[in-house]
Each structure stands twice: as structure tokens, then as C-alpha cells.
Amino acid sequence: MEVLPQLIVNGLLLGGAFALISIGLTLVFGIVRVVNFAHGELFMAGLFGAWLLSSKVGLTPYLAAVPLVVILFAAGAAMQRFIIQPLMDADPHIQIFATVGVGTALINLALILFGADIRTSELPWAREPVRFAGLSVARGFLVAFAVSMVATAALVLFLKRTHLGRAIRAVAQNRNAAPLMGIDVPRIYIITFGIGSACVGLAAAVLSPLFPAFPTVGTYFALTAFVIVVLGGMGSLEGAVAGALIIGLVDSLAGYYVAPDLKEVVYFLIFLLILVLKPAGLFGVRGSE
Amino acid sequence: MRPLSIAGLAALALLFALPYWIIPLIADAGFWQHVFVTIFVYAAMATAWNIVGGFAGQLSLGHTIFYGIGAYAAVLLNQHFGIIPWFGMLAGAAVSAAAGVLVSWPCLRLRGPFYTLSTIAFLEVVRLLAIHFKDFTGGSAGIPVPMFATTATGMEQRIGWAWMLFRERENTVLIAFGLLVLCIAVATLIRRSRFGYALLAVREREDAAEAVGVNTTRVKLAAVAVSAALTSLVGSFHGIYLNFIEPETMFSLATAIQLAMFALIGGLGTVAGPVAGTLLVVPIAEAARGWLGATANGLHGLVYGLVLVGIVLTMPQGIVGALKPRFALWAGPAHRPPPAAPARDEARARPPIGEPILEARNLTRRFGGLVATNDVSLTLREGEVLGIIGPNGAGKTTLFNLLSGFLPPNEGSVRVRDASGQWVTPDAPHGFADAGVGRTFQIVQPFAGLSVRENIMLGAFHHARSRAEAEAEAERVAALCGLGHLLDLEARSLTVGGAKRLEVARALAMRPRILLLDEVMAGLNPSDVALAVELVRTIRDSGVSIIAIEHVMAAIMAISDRIVVINSGRMIAEGSPEAIAKDRTVIEAYLGEEYVAASA
Amino acid sequence: MRRRHVLAGTLAGTVALAARSATAQGSDLRFGALYPFSGPLALLGDESFRGFELAVEERNAAGGIGNARIRIIRGDAVDQNQAIGEARRLMSVERVQAIFGTYASPLSFAATQVTELAGTPYFELGAISDPITERGFRYLFRTCPVAKFFGEGTVDAVTGIAQKLGQDPKSLRIAVLREDGIYGTTVSAAQKARIQQLGYQMVEDLSYSVRAVDLSSVVQRLRGANVDVVLHTGYQNDILLFYRGMKEAGWKPKAVIGSGAGYSLTDTMKAVGSDFQNTLNVDFTQFAVNERVAPGVKQFVEAYARKYGHPPRSGHSLANFMGARVFFDALARAGSMDKDRVRAAVLATDVPEYTTPTGWGAKFDEKGQNTRARPFLLQWQGEQQVTVFPPEAAVAELRIGLGAT
């Protein structure tokens, strides 16, 4: 069996999982212009939510997506309304630290509620491999990949075709001019933050059979998500997906050909290179940085 | 010395006296001394961080790179070569300063969150490499600080001042406090120096900083180097104090975030802020752990997180910002009685127009397919006022940016005759500033957080040797520009007219020999325009050559000796104001061909 | 076997006695318990503490040490700076006479230096990094086995596997796989030393960050190298990722041998599922062990379940329980908390092997390290982790073949 095709497939599928987590971040980052350091912790909360719903209520983890999307939308919107919004005029650095505070509180809340144990949403089906053309992949990853593509396409359509979506894009392009066109910018921010968080809820539900929940799991994904968002270009959904696939491939290939403990080094170096050479990201609009 | 400086010093003295003398009188001070060492260490590092994060406005979340380098330098040299940590400390500081410059160089042009993320990425890379190259660093297995060492002469106890390890714990208080004082002293010196003002200028508005002659890259790198070296010194001490170092702790992102947080909570860019922030947060964290640690796992972390959010929401300006009236004197500039009413410069005889002082040859600048400036040549003579007019979008501001070095031309060149009479062709804005070119910006954005005085001082620092000299210059120029009574006002509260005059004053404080004025009269009411015309004349009469872009026709006609007309990037006419007013092509450009045809 | 009866009889009255001890504060002995109660190490930090707590309750129920009751003062440390702070707080504010801890090696390094300089005895019950007791400290003592023994235990298990397979152990292709933190690095260094010493062949040496979210490329490397035995040192999350990766790739080695931590947790077994069957593990004594060599282990499990409402989550509690007991006995013999008398009494300790609930003996060298503690070789069979080596401690035969068949 050839190892390279397998590594590429593994990398792309992992990229699909990363994409799910990153699209919410790129929305918030690109439109509200807030670096949300609690993004990983929202994902962690989602994983615990999926675990609770599957083990206590008996909901299939995938179906848990419905309540989780709603709950995380509300949580994200509330965070924007009550924590970020009051700081919109303050030094942008201050907003970063507000989100750091939220993240710290969430990690410790999880520790109090669930302990430091890992919790796995039971869905053995998702971990069973599918074999085709000499390749072998877990079903759960195929599902995650498909969902991430559909979710991204849906979001892109939403932003392009709906009135609300156009308003969101208008705010992203010029937050000063948007109010002149009758757009309620603070409301757009709240909705955007909500949508960004809802994406995380979706990601958590879909990935919960593959990744166990524990209080610090968010920090494992957060930095990667930031790398992906910057790589793809702030606020660009297509960019986030492309960035996620690239980072997934790097993870898989560098883990094999370089060394597993240096794969993060490789993708941080790529990240730095992109920042220095093309700060707007692969798909970003020049000047948005 | 000012009263609040004394108050600050007294507070510092008390901070030291508490763990060193007072608490030991009451109780066994072991724990409290540790708490104070922790506070001193974090306050020192937050103060060092603030030089980059606060003064220069570059939010670094990778500062533990330098903390770790300091610790590793001290411990590795101790372990392998038996070198005392005091030397290791200096070596670490040197390496850190160099590393800081190397790491920052490619990242400094990044703005806002991008710079921040790049510092995080560097920190992660450094941490992972420290783990990977374990033959050099000891890897994750870590290195214990040797307390005993076997030497040729037998067992040597490495305890005492030389080794920075003590049985008497108050000595660690002494060293930690010494480091804090060092960091505060350096920060204070910087904040009050020309360098500090340059940093503030960079933070507030990079282009305007360049215009007043600040080499923004160099000052940012200098700030990073100083900050990295200080952080490293503290790291060396703390590494020894922790007694065991490994990459996860020494290159910790969480610690890096905390340092920035202390400074931010205290008040960015002030000297007292980082210390105040640390003093508030560290005891809260310690108390939370002491009281809540035993009740439920994680409860104290939850409280800590919530308190953090609470502090940020209630005091977004930081503690020092919230208590500004009391701290302003310590943190900010000296208060002086307002200067006496300005002695109006008596109208001097206007100096004659002399030799060329600035020459532009065949300037062309393209943006993609758009040619914004197309083969423009012009000459400015000494003592002359050259007006540049043209319809909106004609490329006037691009031309200005070419003339002041903010944009490099695609073709052609600009040369300036400097003070010594040599012709030079600088390649960066600060180079033009050095050659004697001052400029204003069309969109006036004073350094909003600074006072009018400080804004003008930023220009004066271009030549002033001392702070006092810069202040004196600022007062003189302010009087000239009619801002004398507004010196202590925050620049953000100026009227449009005031802000435009401030823009001119800042450029003027540089003592330029050539002044480029970009629409300083646009948007002013008629009486302000009259004032501005008078101001330009006064400047001209003091021997400064001027190029002015202006929309207000009457004004430009009144002040200019010669006028150049630009349309679609090309120079379409040049001549005396009277000639230009009658020029057919000019009227056409402004009002359209039909108008010319109809009136012909 | 006398102690067994004491233990069984007295633990029942624990609650009442604990209440009584709180009132008799005047003559109390105050002992600090320094563990990571929060942060990423909280789970096993807390598990370790429970063993210590049970030992204290048992001792208090039996009259304490020289008629003085023991009071526990908890100290929570997540990182080194906090370990120093808590050690200082325990000594100066809480005025403890000795500190017990620590589970995590970095915290132990930091805290013990502080207590050493202050001359307060420090009893290490669970941190395994070898250099902790190699710094020439006089008032630091450790009961638990060190990383070196974990390295030896895992590599020697390869010998056992080879025997079962009827192969020469030198023909087996061994891979060392580890998380790149202090735990993985320390243990794997000992493993590599032992592999070299025995002349076995190591074909891969891979490490990965604990924050890795995918280990499929690691699995591909192992598979490419045609590995027979994987010596894996990791935490719960990465063990899950590793097994998920193997399942995904449809590949597995002949055996996986863990080194404690995540491999000892029932939750890990449940989360991985049937693929975890027959996974080997070298760790502190677990609960399915031959009672002849670990007298009192049953009673411990019962007492634990009574107090906390569920069976122990790992053997860390047992190791801390055993260690605390050894030190309590030594302190009772010392007759005072004077540091040098404590040292003399600890060094005079002589408990033969197979007489304590962990099966370990206690005999300390000049450095303060217990020389009679060895980890056992365990195997996940069914829902349980059973001891399979050494033969006298074993309750089941070593099985070959990874995963349920």
C-alpha cells in the first residue's frame, strides 16, 4: 500500500475538521475584528455539550448539532452584546483580554462541572474505517469533511444572497460607512458573533465522536484555527477552508516526513512566512490587515 | 522633583519595606516574601513589556521568549561551566536583545492582531525547538538548578549571593525588587526622552511619526531590544528562583498573556500602569487560590477569569486611566504655568527668493494600471511659496508623498539641498525629514492621546537635544500658530481649525527649511482661513520655503508666488497666480471643456 | 498480617474520628499536602491526594502519630512558581511540620528546594523523575519507583512477549513513542538506555506534542517501519488518538506497552473500546494484583469506595497511601519532628518487599530514594487491569495479540 496517497487523504480529511472549527473564527475575526481567544473554549463547551446530550439524553452526537447550534448562537451573541460591545471603542488590545478572561472562566467552569477526565461521545460507527482504492479512512472524518464543505457553501450563499448577509458584508467592508446606509452595526456584530459561535457548535457536534472532551481541549485547536484564518485571509470563508486543507496536509505530511514533534513548527513557519510575504492571506483583500 | 514622583517613590519604598522589614516583624514572612517576589518579578516584566506593548503599541504575546532565554542562559552556564548566574544573566540579556531584533524585524510592518499572532507563532516555534533540541536544552526533562556541584576539590555548595540561591529568603526579595526598580527606571527614562516620544508617535500614527523624522523601524527595534533585555534579566533570576526549568514553563504562552494583561489592566503606555496592574491582579489570584483552592478544583480559576472580565469591563482605560487625575503628573509630562501671551512676531522684511532648494525630475508613479503621477518636474526656490492646485483626484497628494519620501517614484527622482548646501536624494520619509523637509497631512490626525504640547514636542525632538529644549520649542511654535493657550489640552478635543494648526505646528517645530502643506485650509471658516494665510506668510518670512496644496482658490492665489496645476497626474500649467487664473487649460480642467467653449 | 486487621477495623470509624481530630487542634501534627488540584494535571493529582488522605484517616483512627492527630493542609500548585508559593505558604502561614506530595515532577523539583533550604522534611509519594533525589538533598525522601524502573519494566516486558511468541527478543522491532513533555521524555530516556543495554533493536523513536490533534502520520511511520512492539508514554487524549489512528489505518503491532498515567485509567479503556484489550502497561501497583504480595490492597479499595463512592480511578492513590504509611511509621519511630531525627528514622526504615498494599518494600539510600519499589507489568484483560509480572504478583497469564478477537 502506498503511503503518500494515504497521508494526503488523511491530511485533507483532517483539514475538513479544521475547516469546521475555523470558519466561525474567520467570520468573527473578519467582520467584528475581534481576536477571540475564547474560540477554542467555545469549541470545548460544544464538545461537552455533545457528550452530555449523547450520554445523558441519548441523542446521537450528530443530532446534537441542532440544540448546540442554537445554544452556542445564543452564547456567542451574548458574549458580543455584554462583553465585547461595551469595549468596542476601547483599545483593541482590551477586547483580546476580555476574551482571554472568558476563556479562562470557561476552562475552569468545565473543570468544576466535569473534572479533568476525558469524555467521549459514544458513536463507534464514526471510528470504523472505510476502505476504498487501497485507502482507509474513518467514517467520522468523511462526515466532518462533507459537513464542513456544505456549511461553508451555505454560509457563502447566505452572505451573498440574503439581505442580512449583504449587510454583514457591508459592515465588514466599511464599518464607518455602513451606518449611513441604515445598517444597525452593533446588531450585525451580535448576529455575526452568534453565527461564528453557532459554527463552533456545529463543529463540536460533528467532531465529538472523534475528539474527546476535556477542559483544556480548546487550547489544542485554537492556535491552529488562528493560523488557518490568517493563512486564508481574515474574513474569507473560502480562504479558511483552503487554509484548513493546507494545514491538514502539512500536519499529515510533516508528521510523517519531518518528525511528529516538529509538525507544528512547520506550520507556524508557514504561517510566519505568509504573514511576512502576503499579510492579507491567500484569499484576503489587500489592505484588510 | 514633582510631588507625585515623590509619591510614586514612596509607594515603591513601601512595597519593598513590607516584605523586607514590616511583615517579618509580625509573622514568619516566608509565604509573603514569595508573594512579593512574584509581584516584583511580574511587575518588572510587565514594565519591560510595556516599553514595546504600551509605548510603541506593539501587542506582543511572545515575550516569554526572552524570559525563557534569560532563564536558560543563567542555568545552562551554571550547570555546564559553573559560571555564576550574574554573568549568565548578562549573556542572556544580550542574546535576548539580538533575538528580539531578529524576530521583530520581519513582523514589525504587521498591524494589530497580525503582529500579535506572529509573536505567538514565534513563541511556539521557540518552545517546540527547545523541546526538540534536547541535547542542548535538556528538552522537556528539564534542568534542575544545581545547588550542590561536584568539582575537582570535592562537593561545592552553590548557595549564596554569587549563585543567587539563598537560605535567607529576604535576599530574593532584594534582587527581585532591584530588578523591578531597574525596569521602572529604564521605562521612566524612556518615557521622558526623545526616544519615548518617538515611540508614542509610532504608536499613535506611524506616517506622521515618519514625517517628523522618526525612523519608525529603528525605534521599534530599539524598543524591542531594550524590552527583551530587561525581560531576560528578570527571567534569569526567576529561573534560578524556580529551581527547575523546562520549556513548557519558561516559554509559556499563558505567562506571556499574563504579562500583557497586567500592563493592560494597569494602563497601557504609562510608567505606573504595569506595576499597578500586577499589584491588583497577583494578590487576587493568590487570594483566590488560598481561599478557594481547597473547596473545588478550578473554582479559583473561574473566579479569576470572571474578575478579569469584570476589571476589563469596568476599567477599559486601565487603573491608571481610571485614576488619571491623580496619576497624570507622575505618568505624563510636567505641568507648567501657561506661557505668557505670545509675542507676535513682528513683520520682518521678506527674504528674497533665492537658489533652488528642492528639485523633482520626471516623477512618475503608477498604482496598477493607474498613473497617479505622470512625468512631473518642478523646482522650489529658497524663500518661495509654490502652490499646487488641481481638481479632485488629480494626483496632488500622491505628488506630495513622492516629494516627502512616503512613496518611492517608479521613475524620476527628487533631490533636496540640505543645510550644508549639498544636494541629497533620501530614500525614506525620515531621510527627507533629516534633509529639512517637513510636511502636514491632508487628513489631520494628531496624536490623539497626547496633549497639544506633546504633539508639537514630537516635531521638536527632531532637533532638540533635551526635553526642556523640546518643550521650549513647542511653546514658541504654539504661540506662533495661535495654540499657546491650548498647550495642555488633549489633542483629540481640538476643533478642526485647531487640529489643522496643530498639524502645521508639529511640522514647524522640526525647524524645516522646506514645508509641504497639504490642504491646511480646507474645511475652515473664513476667519480661520484668514488666520491661516497670515500664518503661512509668517512662516515664509522666517525663511522657510513652502509648497502648498490647496483647494481654497482665493487663499492659494494670495499666498503663492508661483502655481503649478496638475490634472490626471500631469502638470498642465505653471506660472504666476495671475497668469494661471486666466489660463484656458486650467479653466477647462476645472470646469470642463463646454464651459470654456461657451464662454469663449 | 496484623496491620491488615487494624486497617480493616479502623477505617469504618473514620468519619467520627476525623471530626474528633479537628477539635484536638492543640497537639495536632500539621502536614501539608501539595498536589496539582486544578489545571491539566488535576485528575491524577487529586487521585494521588486521596491515597494520602486515606492514609491519614487510617492513622488518626489508630491514634495518630505518638498520640498526635494529623491535620492535612492542602496546597494547590499548577506550575512551579505556585509550587514554591504553596510550599512557602504551607511552611510559614500554615506552619506545617512536613509536606507530602506531589505527583508531578516539575512541581516536586520546585517545592523540594524550598523545603530543603528551610529544613522541612518533604515526602515524595508519586513524582518519578530520577534527578529529584539526585541533588544531594538531606530532607527529601521518596517511596515511589523512579522513571528508570519504568524504562526497565517496559523493555523487560518485551522479553516476556518474545518468550510467548517463541521468538528471540532481539528480533522484535521496537518503537519508542512518547509525548514530548517531561513525562514522556523522562520515561523514554530510561527505555532507550535499557534497549541499548539489552541489545534489542529500536527501529523508531518518535515524539509528538501533547497538543497534537491527530496521530495518523505517526501510525503510518510505525507501520512503514514494520514495528512489532510500541513502547508508548502518553496521556489519555493522545492514547485515544493513537488507537483511533491504528483503527483508521487498519494496522496494529503485536503489542503496545504503556507506562502508567493514561494507560492505567479505566476511562481510557472504556473510551478506546475493545481495541484496548491486551494492552500492556507498566505502572504503580494496581488493584488486580496477587494479594499475597500486596497485603491490604482489597481493604484499601473498600475504604476508598466507601469514602469516595466509586472504586479508585488509578493506582496513584494506592501508591500515595503506601508511601504515606511508611513515612508515618518512620515519624512515629523518630518521636519528634526534628529534621535530623526524621532523617535518621527514615533511613533506618526496613520494610521487606511484598508486605505493603503496593507490594513494595521500603529501604532508603543516602539520597532518600526507596530502593525496594518497582512498578509491575499489567495488562488490560476484560474490564480490568491485571498484574502479569513478576510471577509472584501475577494474577493472570500474559496474553498475546492486541485488541479483542
Side-chain angles (χ1 to χ4, degrees):
Chain A
M1 185 210 254
E2 277 297 309
V3 69
L4 185 60
Q6 179 71 50
L7 288 173
I8 291 176
V9 169
N10 285 349
L12 291 176
L13 290 178
L14 182 65
F18 285 157
L20 261 179
I21 299 170
S22 306
I23 47 178
L25 186 65
T26 202
L27 267 186
V28 172
F29 197 2
I31 291 158
V32 194
R33 300 282 165 98
V34 167
V35 183
N36 182 11
F37 272 86
H39 187 77
E41 278 63 51
L42 289 176
F43 179 63
M44 178 270 293
L47 283 179
F48 270 113
W51 168 73
L52 277 177
L53 287 167
S54 70
S55 66
K56 309 286 175 202
V57 185
L59 215 56
T60 311
Y62 291 146
L63 285 180
V66 180
L68 279 180
V69 162
V70 175
I71 293 168
L72 274 157
F73 180 91
M79 189 170 153
Q80 168 66 24
R81 170 66 188 82
F82 296 107
I83 295 173
I84 309 292
Q85 198 92 291
L87 297 172
M88 239 27 213
D89 295 327
D91 191 308
H93 300 167
I94 288 280
Q95 297 154 10
I96 290 184
F97 287 94
T99 66
V100 168
V102 172
T104 311
L106 281 176
I107 289 180
N108 286 283
L109 185 64
L111 192 62
I112 294 171
L113 294 178
F114 308 111
D117 260 323
I118 57 165
R119 313 280 179 176
T120 330
S121 300
E122 264 322 307
L123 190 64
W125 175 88
R127 278 183 275 156
E128 289 298 329
V130 183
R131 297 202 165 76
F132 59 92
L135 300 170
S136 169
V137 296
R139 288 174 186 156
F141 272 111
L142 288 174
V143 172
F145 190 86
V147 171
S148 74
M149 295 304 142
V150 172
T152 310
L155 267 180
V156 169
L157 279 180
F158 164 75
L159 289 178
K160 289 221 169 106
R161 297 284 166 79
T162 65
H163 182 68
L164 182 58
R166 279 191 289 266
I168 290 176
R169 283 193 303 144
V171 171
Q173 268 149 25
N174 194 333
R175 60 161 91 184
N176 298 321
L180 302 177
M181 299 183 294
I183 297 173
D184 180 355
V185 175
R187 188 171 142 265
I188 294 291
Y189 285 161
I190 292 172
I191 291 172
T192 307
F193 215 110
I195 295 175
S197 308
C199 291
V200 174
L202 178 67
V206 172
L207 296 176
S208 64
L210 298 170
F211 297 100
F214 50 97
T216 49
V217 67
T219 59
Y220 292 29
F221 288 93
L223 279 184
T224 313
F226 276 118
V227 168
I228 287 166
V229 166
V230 172
L231 200 58
M234 189 164 97
S236 160
L237 293 169
E238 300 91 329
V241 171
L245 296 180
I246 291 171
I247 292 299
L249 279 175
V250 168
D251 191 284
S252 178
L253 295 175
Y256 187 86
Y257 292 108
V258 183
D261 65 328
L262 289 182
K263 62 188 186 187
E264 285 92 349
V265 172
V266 176
Y267 61 70
F268 279 122
L269 288 178
I270 292 179
F271 169 75
L272 286 168
L273 217 60
I274 290 282
L275 271 182
V276 170
L277 299 180
K278 202 169 181 307
L282 297 176
F283 290 77
V285 187
R286 178 104 193 98
S288 64
E289 79 271 18
Chain B
M1 197 179 281
R2 297 190 302 275
L4 275 155
S5 290
I6 296 170
L9 287 179
L12 261 184
L14 179 67
L15 210 52
F16 176 69
L18 267 174
Y20 201 77
W21 288 302
I22 301 173
I23 295 178
L25 294 179
I26 308 164
D28 185 332
F31 170 64
W32 289 107
Q33 285 173 343
H34 166 77
V35 171
F36 275 90
V37 167
T38 305
I39 290 175
F40 293 160
V41 161
Y42 281 117
M45 287 199 288
T47 303
W49 179 89
N50 195 37
I51 294 172
V52 171
F55 295 173
Q58 309 286 318
L59 182 72
S60 157
L61 291 183
H63 248 56
T64 39
I65 292 177
F66 314 120
Y67 169 74
I69 289 177
Y72 269 96
V75 175
L76 285 173
L77 288 176
N78 180 346
Q79 198 191 30
H80 293 314
F81 306 106
I83 295 174
I84 58 170
W86 298 96
F87 285 113
M89 217 171 181
L90 297 179
V95 173
S96 291
V101 170
L102 274 179
V103 164
S104 301
W105 198 299
C107 298
L108 277 179
R109 72 191 187 97
L110 301 174
R111 301 281 163 87
F114 293 87
Y115 176 79
T116 304
L117 290 172
S118 76
T119 59
I120 295 179
F122 268 114
L123 175 60
E124 289 294 303
V125 168
V126 168
R127 184 177 61 80
L128 291 165
L129 291 180
I131 288 174
H132 186 78
F133 293 104
K134 54 179 184 293
D135 297 334
F136 180 62
T137 61
S140 287
I143 316 172
V145 175
M147 199 153 90
F148 305 97
T150 337
T151 59
T153 53
M155 272 293 248
E156 177 196 34
Q157 227 188 32
R158 289 186 172 172
I159 295 179
W161 272 99
W163 299 102
M164 240 187 252
L165 270 182
F166 308 97
R167 285 189 202 287
E168 306 80 17
R169 290 172 301 226
E170 58 271 17
N171 290 336
T172 54
V173 177
L174 207 58
I175 298 178
F177 184 73
L179 288 166
L180 173 60
V181 168
L182 175 69
C183 290
I184 292 178
V186 172
T188 310
L189 282 177
I190 289 179
R191 177 66 178 85
R192 293 184 178 177
S193 71
R194 177 179 170 169
F195 176 39
Y197 277 87
L199 287 177
L200 290 186
V202 167
R203 178 185 80 193
E204 296 289 330
R205 247 183 87 206
E206 213 160 325
D207 54 354
E210 285 270 351
V212 293
V214 174
N215 182 338
T216 54
T217 310
R218 192 192 299 161
V219 297
K220 280 196 265 185
L221 288 180
V224 171
V226 171
S227 171
L230 289 175
T231 310
S232 174
L233 293 177
V234 182
S236 297
F237 162 73
H238 206 221
I240 302 277
Y241 182 79
L242 292 180
N243 188 49
F244 177 73
I245 60 170
E246 38 97 25
E248 198 68 36
T249 314
M250 302 324 290
F251 298 109
S252 145
L253 175 59
T255 309
I257 292 178
Q258 262 190 337
L259 294 183
M261 200 175 68
F262 292 150
L264 211 85
I265 287 177
L268 273 184
T270 61
V271 172
V275 183
T278 315
L279 271 175
L280 177 70
V281 181
V282 170
I284 290 179
E286 288 290 329
R289 208 177 53 251
W291 294 329
L292 305 171
T295 44
N297 297 345
L299 184 57
H300 62 85
L302 176 64
V303 169
Y304 179 67
L306 293 177
V307 166
L308 187 62
V309 175
I311 292 177
V312 167
L313 283 176
T314 47
M315 292 191 284
Q317 306 290 320
I319 301 171
V320 173
L323 303 175
K324 199 156 191 181
R326 281 192 217 164
F327 277 93
L329 291 170
W330 189 28
H335 251 305
R336 302 259 174 113
R344 179 88 179 83
D345 270 17
E346 287 308 313
R348 275 176 295 175
R350 180 180 174 189
I353 292 176
E355 293 297 301
I357 190 167
L358 179 146
E359 282 183 4
R361 293 224 182 104
N362 312 102
L363 287 178
T364 299
R365 172 73 202 192
R366 287 180 286 268
F367 295 105
L370 177 78
V371 186
T373 302
N374 194 350
D375 196 27
V376 172
S377 299
L378 55 81
T379 303
L380 175 70
R381 292 170 176 280
E382 219 169 330
E384 185 186 31
V385 178
L386 176 65
I388 297 180
I389 60 172
N392 276 330
K396 301 186 296 283
T397 294
T398 303
L399 179 60
F400 246 41
N401 285 338
L402 292 168
L403 292 178
S404 55
F406 276 77
L407 281 174
N410 295 112
E411 283 153 38
S413 65
V414 177
R415 61 175 198 159
V416 179
R417 195 150 55 85
D418 69 11
S420 62
Q422 294 293 313
W423 284 99
V424 292
T425 302
D427 58 0
H430 58 86
F432 277 88
D434 290 343
V437 180
R439 73 165 288 182
T440 67
F441 290 87
Q442 182 185 359
I443 300 164
V444 287
Q445 289 171 329
F447 304 112
L450 305 183
S451 68
V452 168
R453 182 199 311 273
E454 287 174 307
N455 264 279
I456 306 176
M457 278 169 69
L458 282 168
F461 269 120
H462 183 58
H463 56 80
R465 290 278 146 259
S466 71
R467 184 188 162 87
E469 202 182 322
E471 280 191 29
E473 176 75 4
E475 278 159 27
R476 187 187 72 78
V477 173
L480 187 65
C481 300
L483 293 166
H485 56 297
L486 301 171
L487 274 169
D488 292 313
L489 205 64
E490 253 196 15
R492 73 175 97 234
S493 46
L494 287 177
T495 60
V496 179
K500 295 245 176 191
R501 284 202 296 274
L502 177 58
E503 190 79 8
V504 176
R506 192 184 59 228
L508 212 53
M510 291 168 63
R511 299 211 185 130
R513 291 165 35 261
I514 302 164
L515 185 59
L516 310 184
L517 299 174
D518 195 347
E519 297 203 6
V520 291
M521 297 177 201
L524 298 191
N525 60 40
S527 67
D528 275 346
V529 169
L531 276 175
V533 167
E534 198 49 43
L535 176 60
V536 172
R537 284 192 173 136
T538 313
I539 297 168
R540 176 197 68 192
D541 292 351
S542 69
V544 178
S545 319
I546 296 171
I547 302 180
I549 295 180
E550 208 51 73
H551 260 320
V552 184
M553 274 306 154
I556 198 84
M557 293 295 171
I559 58 172
S560 301
D561 299 308
R562 200 153 49 91
I563 287 179
V564 164
V565 187
I566 307 272
N567 191 22
S568 306
R570 281 184 177 282
M571 211 167 101
I572 56 167
E574 182 183 0
S576 68
E578 299 76 27
I580 291 296
K582 294 177 196 139
D583 192 303
R584 186 188 150 89
T585 41
V586 175
I587 299 168
E588 198 178 288
Y590 267 88
L591 301 169
E593 284 177 41
E594 299 82 359
Y595 182 84
V596 180
S599 62
Chain C
M1 296 294 116
R2 194 172 52 87
R3 183 180 288 144
R4 264 176 69 187
H5 296 295
V6 174
L7 176 66
T10 51
L11 273 175
T14 296
V15 179
L17 285 165
R20 204 173 72 200
S21 70
T23 56
Q25 211 170 1
S27 60
D28 282 357
L29 280 169
R30 297 169 69 83
F31 289 165
L34 184 55
Y35 293 93
F37 288 110
S38 54
L41 303 170
L43 176 63
L44 291 180
D46 185 51
E47 182 67 17
S48 301
F49 168 74
R50 289 180 175 184
F52 174 66
E53 194 175 30
L54 285 172
V56 168
E57 290 181 356
E58 178 204 30
R59 190 85 201 185
N60 279 342
I65 297 175
N67 285 329
R69 307 219 170 279
I70 303 166
R71 260 170 55 81
I72 304 175
I73 324 287
R74 282 166 52 132
D76 173 16
V78 172
D79 58 33
Q80 281 112 286
N81 197 47
Q82 292 179 4
I84 290 177
E86 287 296 90
R88 293 228 161 132
R89 186 178 66 84
L90 291 171
M91 288 189 298
S92 71
V93 179
E94 302 290 351
R95 309 206 155 274
V96 301
Q97 285 135 311
I99 297 181
F100 292 73
T102 326
Y103 169 58
S105 296
L107 306 183
S108 181
F109 273 114
T112 51
Q113 185 227 25
V114 175
T115 55
E116 180 71 14
L117 287 173
T120 302
Y122 198 104
F123 301 110
E124 181 54 64
L125 311 176
I128 62 168
S129 177
D130 301 63
I132 289 176
T133 44
E134 286 165 7
R135 292 176 295 165
F137 287 8
R138 286 178 63 79
Y139 309 110
L140 164 65
F141 312 98
R142 171 158 64 177
T143 42
C144 64
V146 293
K148 180 166 172 265
F149 299 141
F150 278 78
E152 290 177 1
T154 45
V155 178
D156 293 352
V158 176
T159 319
I161 292 164
Q163 267 173 11
K164 278 274 173 192
L165 290 169
Q167 273 182 289
D168 176 9
K170 290 182 183 166
S171 73
L172 289 178
R173 298 166 68 81
I174 304 173
V176 172
L177 174 65
R178 61 187 166 92
E179 62 90 23
D180 69 2
I182 179 166
Y183 164 56
T185 309
T186 313
V187 172
S188 69
Q191 288 171 335
K192 282 182 265 186
R194 184 68 169 177
I195 289 173
Q196 204 171 16
Q197 190 190 358
L198 296 179
Y200 291 177
Q201 56 166 327
M202 180 174 76
V203 293
E204 277 284 15
D205 173 17
L206 299 175
S207 66
Y208 57 85
S209 157
V210 273
R211 297 202 187 91
V213 293
D214 188 61
L215 292 180
S216 56
S217 50
V218 164
V219 173
Q220 294 298 338
R221 284 269 297 243
L222 296 174
R223 165 195 216 155
N226 211 359
V227 167
D228 294 312
V229 181
V230 178
L231 310 184
H232 184 200
T233 314
Y235 293 108
Q236 263 189 316
N237 181 49
D238 25 300
I239 294 169
L240 245 66
L241 294 179
F242 177 49
Y243 275 83
R244 195 191 73 201
M246 288 197 290
K247 187 178 191 102
E248 212 177 288
W251 172 86
K252 58 191 177 192
K254 294 196 170 83
V256 173
I257 308 172
S259 301
Y263 274 98
S264 291
L265 295 172
T266 313
D267 281 335
T268 315
M269 179 269 294
K270 286 188 180 144
V272 174
S274 61
D275 297 332
F276 209 56
Q277 283 305 305
N278 295 348
T279 295
L280 287 154
N281 181 25
V282 170
D283 199 358
F284 292 168
T285 317
Q286 301 293 318
F287 305 102
V289 64
N290 193 328
E291 256 206 280
R292 277 200 314 280
V293 303
V297 66
K298 276 237 161 57
Q299 287 82 346
F300 174 81
V301 173
E302 284 161 16
Y304 185 107
R306 220 171 11 249
K307 182 162 171 70
Y308 302 109
H310 57 84
R313 294 171 292 191
S314 85
H316 288 84
S317 46
L318 182 63
N320 279 258
F321 177 76
M322 174 272 175
R325 260 188 172 185
V326 167
F327 290 130
F328 292 160
D329 287 343
L331 292 175
R333 274 184 282 114
S336 99
M337 287 305 295
D338 172 73
K339 60 185 182 189
D340 290 305
R341 291 186 65 173
V342 168
R343 178 172 164 87
V346 171
L347 292 196
T349 301
D350 187 357
V351 180
E353 280 180 322
Y354 304 140
T355 59
T356 65
T358 52
W360 303 335
K363 178 78 191 159
F364 296 87
D365 60 16
E366 273 296 306
K367 297 170 184 166
Q369 172 62 41
N370 183 6
T371 55
R372 289 185 186 158
R374 288 285 187 284
F376 290 159
L377 179 63
L378 314 150
Q379 188 167 41
W380 283 98
Q381 298 184 359
E383 293 269 292
Q384 256 200 334
Q385 199 180 188
V386 296
T387 309
V388 293
F389 190 85
E392 55 272 31
V395 292
E397 276 284 302
L398 174 66
R399 287 189 200 157
I400 290 299
L402 184 61
T405 42

